[in-house]
Amino acid sequence: VPLQAKNESWSFPKDFWYGVAGAAYQIEGAVKAEGRGPSIWDVLSHRVPSYVITNETGDVADNNYYQYKEDIARIAALGIKAYSFSLSWSRILPFGSGQVNEEALRHYDDVIDTCLQYNIIPQVTLYHWDLPLYLQNSYGGWLGSEIVDDFTAYAEIVFNRWASKVHHWFTINEPIVFCGFYPLPVGFFKNTTIPPKQQPYVCGHNVLLAHANAYHVAKSVNSSLSVSFKTNGGYKIQRTNSSADAQAVQRAWDFQEGWFANPTFINGDYPPLLKDYVSTFLPNFTEEQKAHINGTADIFAHDAYTSDFIMAPDSGIDACTSNSSHSLYPQCYNTTKLYANNYWAIGPAGDPGTPWLNKATDWVPAFLHYMQDTWKPKGGIAITEFGISEPYEELRKDLASILIDPIRSSYYHDYLQAILIALSEGVNVVGTLAWSIYDNLEWTSGYGVKFGIQYVNLTTQERYFKASAFEYVNVFNVYLEK
Ligand code: PNW
């Protein structure tokens, strides 16, 4: 990125935390070590046909379970302030509930202590998609109401153990993804009596109840903790200025962010649009539950990678009905990247592994304003994941070209400058977490789709900084208030 004169009117506040993120199944490996029980992803990756298109698994992954000390030392050396990781529920409770595995507790004790020793702020997520298999098999996992009590009991163990050492907590990662897309399409939940189109909403309902319980558990242990959950979705740009497209944009916000953010930030209940369009699928909260859920997020923790153009569905704005084939998108709106092809650096023809992701950082200030104005988070906004997979990065063979990642570098540079603009306009952004600490198992896409600011040689398990790692911290070196 070309050298530019420092803009003196920009700065990150002194206590702004900038970090990197990873998640247990994507990085840990050691799936049979020290008493870990299986999670649904062990089955999804090992079954035939595999749910991972490359037939790869998380069995070894980045070997983080054994190399975490080195991993934390490396990010400390880089000048990173925070490390966000997730706990493997089935390590701590191999059967999801009941017997606690002390070895797992001691492992995470040491991960946390190592962070503190290096002056890295640990940030911990309780659930990043790796559900204990036993809970899936006993009652359908997130589709069973039993999950609420089991998650609450898990949260009690976690908060009682680490509340004195960890301040920043995230309960549940990106429910629209695991309730809506993973692994519903492959029929993983077929043993349930709940009709497929209703499943995302039952799952989401249990997520909200489980999250709210965990929040209250955390606060009863230590009321000063920061506890939130993580939503995801891109900025929604109105495709044309027609009122139909404006309505479509509102629907997109409600079906993606609002589904979880309105109950927790606004009124304990789903957005009116959802109650209207998917009323046949959406469970109801009692007044008591609404009061219990309302206000259970301290910061707006959003995984905000990209932007999308939003427009009325082909069949017209009035065709929105819950009778369409996929209940998550009941013909209420369409999204497109095509309009932007000549504008965004990376279009849908970029990385074939991530068609949902464009480098669309120009809209970040508007995105941040929208989040602040709509959900008014008390503790501000954090971008808890952002990053990009470079086109065809997976095909590069020589180390030198692997380590030069100009598109990712400019993505971080431009995104952080956009945050500086928003900060100067009064948006309260408190932190960023780059996805990811290093290349890892990109779920169904396998190891070929790479999001890391470090490359990992999966044969030798050696780690290497990519150019984007230096670009990321350098923006803070220039703009963080001293
Ligand atoms: C996140 N979208 O998922 C996950 O939390 C990570 O585990 C994952 O590796 C990372 O993004 C990169 O994919 C997302 O469609 C999935 O906007 C989909 C979207 C965003 C994030």
Side-chain angles (χ1 to χ4, degrees):
V1 178
L3 208 55
Q4 286 166 8
K6 184 181 175 190
N7 183 329
E8 294 297 336
S9 58
W10 289 349
S11 71
F12 291 105
K14 233 204 274 306
D15 56 353
F16 193 97
W17 40 263
Y18 50 100
V20 291
Y25 190 67
Q26 296 180 273
I27 67 170
E28 280 185 353
V31 293
K32 292 182 180 165
E34 297 189 354
R36 178 184 179 275
S39 83
I40 56 172
W41 274 92
D42 296 278
V43 173
L44 290 167
S45 62
H46 276 274
R47 67 185 215 159
V48 180
S50 175
Y51 194 39
V52 178
I53 53 171
T54 53
N55 293 315
E56 292 160 316
T57 73
D59 289 4
V60 177
D62 295 304
N63 201 37
N64 168 271
Y65 193 77
Y66 299 113
Q67 287 179 237
Y68 62 93
K69 281 183 202 285
E70 172 190 349
D71 292 342
I72 293 165
R74 288 179 64 82
I75 60 176
L78 196 61
I80 290 287
K81 296 266 185 256
Y83 174 42
S84 164
F85 59 94
S86 78
L87 304 171
S88 160
W89 182 348
S90 67
R91 283 192 196 281
I92 294 173
L93 293 151
F95 296 95
S97 65
Q99 185 68 43
V100 178
N101 174 17
E102 290 292 330
E103 281 187 281
L105 296 180
R106 284 196 293 272
H107 171 77
Y108 291 119
D109 281 345
D110 201 45
V111 175
I112 291 166
D113 289 342
T114 306
C115 287
L116 298 175
Q117 189 190 323
Y118 281 98
N119 242 328
I120 298 273
I121 305 165
Q123 306 209 357
V124 180
T125 298
L126 276 72
Y127 183 74
H128 198 123
W129 306 354
D130 47 353
L131 186 77
L133 182 63
Y134 191 81
L135 304 185
Q136 185 68 47
N137 292 342
S138 352
Y139 51 73
W142 288 101
L143 293 179
S145 55
E146 299 91 332
I147 193 84
V148 177
D149 283 347
D150 283 342
F151 187 76
T152 308
Y154 166 49
E156 277 168 10
I157 295 164
V158 168
F159 288 116
N160 282 314
R161 182 95 177 181
W162 295 301
S164 61
K165 291 180 174 174
V166 177
H167 176 76
H168 296 86
W169 293 91
F170 305 108
T171 55
I172 293 172
N173 182 67
E174 300 187 355
I176 66 166
V177 178
F178 72 83
C179 287
F181 305 102
Y182 284 167
L184 290 169
V186 290
F188 196 65
F189 293 153
K190 64 175 178 289
N191 293 331
T192 174
T193 54
I194 302 169
K197 284 203 263 180
Q198 198 173 348
Q199 291 178 5
Y201 298 100
V202 172
C203 173
H205 204 69
N206 290 328
V207 162
L208 282 160
L209 292 167
H211 159 77
N213 281 356
Y215 181 93
H216 292 295
V217 166
K219 294 289 168 155
S220 72
V221 174
N222 178 347
S223 62
S224 73
L225 299 180
S226 168
V227 186
S228 303
F229 66 102
K230 288 170 68 194
T231 44
N232 68 287
Y235 184 58
K236 293 136 194 33
I237 307 157
Q238 204 176 308
R239 170 73 164 75
T240 73
N241 60 15
S242 73
S243 69
D245 284 359
Q247 283 183 66
V249 166
Q250 185 57 50
R251 294 168 180 187
W253 286 117
D254 285 347
F255 274 94
Q256 292 183 24
E257 288 78 2
W259 179 9
F260 296 95
N262 284 33
T264 42
F265 286 100
I266 297 181
N267 61 357
D269 204 0
Y270 297 112
L273 267 175
L274 252 74
K275 295 172 72 150
D276 192 2
Y277 293 122
V278 288
S279 58
T280 45
F281 303 133
L282 205 60
N284 293 314
F285 291 121
T286 64
E287 290 308 314
E288 204 183 327
Q289 286 172 328
K290 288 181 199 171
H292 188 64
I293 293 168
N294 192 13
T296 56
D298 296 322
I299 61 172
F300 198 88
H302 201 57
D303 298 349
Y305 285 81
T306 190
S307 302
D308 294 291
F309 288 94
I310 306 290
M311 57 201 181
D314 297 338
S315 41
I317 195 70
D318 296 324
C320 181
T321 144
S322 55
N323 295 324
S324 60
S325 58
H326 197 316
S327 65
L328 265 191
Y329 297 107
Q331 297 172 7
C332 289
Y333 63 94
N334 270 348
T335 72
T336 182
K337 306 266 186 197
L338 292 178
Y339 189 57
N341 241 357
N342 298 325
Y343 192 82
W344 282 330
I346 298 300
D351 191 329
T354 45
W356 54 273
L357 213 173
N358 300 66
K359 179 185 171 253
T361 52
D362 325 44
W363 277 274
V364 166
F367 198 172
L368 293 165
H369 278 284
Y370 186 89
M371 290 189 255
Q372 177 157 292
D373 295 346
T374 307
W375 293 290
K376 303 180 172 60
K378 301 178 292 257
I381 298 164
I383 302 301
T384 38
E385 286 181 27
F386 68 134
I388 196 164
S389 57
E390 288 217 356
Y392 307 106
E393 194 173 356
E394 78 277 16
L395 301 178
R396 298 183 200 169
K397 296 283 180 246
D398 65 302
L399 191 57
S401 59
I402 288 170
L403 301 184
I404 305 285
D405 53 346
I407 291 166
R408 183 177 296 106
S409 299
S410 79
Y411 173 94
Y412 281 120
H413 176 272
D414 293 354
Y415 201 123
L416 294 176
Q417 297 226 335
I419 292 177
L420 284 163
I421 292 170
L423 281 165
S424 74
E425 293 168 352
V427 182
N428 183 21
V429 187
V430 296
T432 57
L433 298 169
W435 185 271
S436 177
I437 176 174
Y438 37 50
D439 297 337
N440 57 56
L441 180 70
E442 178 52 24
W443 303 111
T444 53
S445 304
Y447 293 96
V449 174
K450 297 171 182 296
F451 274 89
I453 62 168
Q454 299 181 73
Y455 163 73
V456 180
N457 177 328
L458 292 176
T459 309
T460 63
Q461 291 295 348
E462 280 174 282
R463 285 89 163 102
Y464 302 83
F465 292 119
K466 299 180 192 176
S468 58
F470 302 108
E471 185 69 48
Y472 182 58
V473 290
N474 211 28
V475 180
F476 293 100
N477 291 340
V478 173
Y479 285 107
L480 191 74
E481 275 172 29
K482 300 282 174 324

